[in-house]
Amino acid sequence: MITPDDHSRDPRGFFLTQVGHAAAGTFTVYVLCIAFVALIGEIPVKWALIVLGFGLYLGVIELWIQGWRGWDTVEDTAFFGYGFALPMLTFSAEPSGGGISGQIDAAAGVMAWGLAHLAGGTYRRWWRKENAPA
């Protein structure tokens, strides 16, 4: 599961892997917020959460465990980032403590960019597969 693969001629594999990276990004936001609430009683400021989340993912998963693999590392990190950014842009902690408010359309740009990236990457791999020399 953690073995790196750019799925250069596997559109289905690319699609599923990158959707998984986005889901992992979203999951990570919630895990970090729950941990912060349990430890210090409040949700951290967004910049701290971003630094911690991306630092952990890029540093531990992509670079330390898998090693730098060029564009594959960039794409994996980007899709993790799309999933991480969606709740970060949508929700905000209430200053009174404990509550969360949200604005769903705040994440529309990230969602559109992520879907375009997913469609483009999937199409590129389908095209390579269909046009590969026999």
Side-chain angles (χ1 to χ4, degrees), residues 100-111:
I100 293 177
S101 63
Q103 187 172 350
I104 196 72
D105 61 343
V110 170
M111 180 67 83

Side-chain angles (χ1 to χ4, degrees), residues 31-101:
V31 167
L32 290 174
C33 286
I34 290 166
F36 268 86
V37 169
L39 292 171
I40 63 172
E42 60 185 49
I43 295 172
V45 293
K46 286 186 179 187
W47 69 264
L49 196 59
I50 291 168
V51 169
L52 182 61
F54 274 97
L56 287 172
Y57 178 76
L58 180 60
V60 174
I61 303 296
E62 288 295 331
L63 298 178
W64 184 46
I65 294 176
Q66 295 184 352
W68 173 256
R69 296 167 332 283
W71 185 245
D72 183 52
T73 299
V74 171
E75 278 195 313
D76 289 354
T77 303
F79 279 95
F80 177 88
Y82 299 144
F84 196 89
L86 291 174
M88 295 289 292
L89 292 169
T90 304
F91 302 111
S92 295
E94 296 288 335
S96 59
I100 293 177
S101 63

